[in-house]
Amino acid sequence: MPLRYLPPMTFHDALTRFLEGLGALGFADRTIAGYGADLAAFERFLGEVAHGDDIELVAVSPLWVEAYLARGRPTPSYRNRKLSALRSLFRFARRQGLLEEKDDPTRHVAFARVPRKEPSHLSFEEYLAILKAAGRCSRPSLRLRNQAILVVLWNTGLRVSELCALVCTPYTRHTFSSRAV
């Protein structure tokens, strides 16, 4: 998209326009507040870097973005959330014609690798305690259903949504079958 002529816009004005745009698109208030908090923190950082001057949007440097993201030894997920907010703002500015792609200070900033978490497993005692709790239901049919659900989940590795999609044929004494959809 070619850049339209617009007077230079400060970071603060672009931030205000961005948050108003999110509201117009129907984003949830908490989402807008989250973006606002992350981007206001970057704006404060810019104020420190520029000694209180209001920075123009096109003057924001990739080095400033990297320095901001590295402050205080952030965790990878924290850094990525901040970078995601900044990228959203600068992508919005490009779409609005306020910035050319070459001037986007976030375009070459990489997301941090988030280490994979090892899945946690229940001990056998925890497994039995949960089965026992499911068996405390006052209605026998629900007690059996709840215990069957837990056993199927644990023994097959199905997700809850997959379990809910199972179609069971009527039970007979000699056969039982089901199929996953």
Side-chain angles (χ1 to χ4, degrees):
M1 167 199 258
L3 190 65
R4 298 186 299 252
Y5 173 76
L6 291 170
M9 182 168 286
T10 65
F11 183 85
H12 178 78
D13 292 341
L15 170 58
T16 302
R17 186 182 280 191
F18 172 67
L19 295 176
E20 288 170 354
L22 291 179
L25 290 172
F27 278 74
D29 291 341
R30 292 180 77 152
T31 300
I32 296 169
Y35 276 108
D38 288 341
L39 295 169
F42 182 67
E43 183 178 22
R44 286 190 299 277
F45 172 79
L46 288 177
E48 294 169 17
V49 171
H51 307 291
D53 291 339
D54 207 2
I55 302 280
E56 287 186 11
L57 190 63
V58 296
V60 176
S61 160
L63 295 175
W64 292 346
V65 172
E66 286 285 3
Y68 168 72
L69 294 173
R71 290 179 101 182
R73 296 180 178 225
T75 63
S77 58
Y78 178 85
R79 172 193 158 87
N80 290 347
R81 189 188 83 220
K82 300 282 188 186
L83 178 56
S84 180
L86 286 168
R87 281 193 174 176
S88 294
L89 170 73
F90 284 102
R91 183 174 49 246
F92 171 83
R94 286 194 325 265
R95 288 181 181 157
Q96 293 294 309
L98 305 172
L99 193 69
E100 290 187 50
E101 185 173 352
K102 69 178 180 61
D103 295 324
D104 181 348
T106 64
R107 72 185 175 137
H108 294 299
V109 178
F111 283 101
R113 283 187 75 115
V114 178
R116 290 186 64 159
K117 294 181 182 175
E118 288 294 320
S120 59
H121 302 282
L122 294 175
S123 69
F124 186 69
E125 291 77 25
E126 291 168 323
Y127 170 78
L128 290 177
I130 292 173
L131 269 180
K132 189 175 182 181
R136 289 192 195 116
C137 187
S138 61
R139 290 181 47 201
S141 61
L142 291 181
R143 180 174 45 241
L144 290 174
R145 183 206 63 180
N146 294 345
Q147 288 176 325
I149 287 171
L150 292 172
V151 169
V152 168
L153 286 173
W154 285 324
N155 290 323
T156 63
L158 287 176
R159 296 179 183 95
V160 173
S161 60
E162 294 169 330
L163 177 82
C164 292
L166 287 177
V167 177
C168 295
T169 58
Y171 172 75
T172 65
R173 217 168 172 200
H174 303 289
T175 63
F176 178 76
S177 66
S178 67
R179 65 182 177 88
V181 178

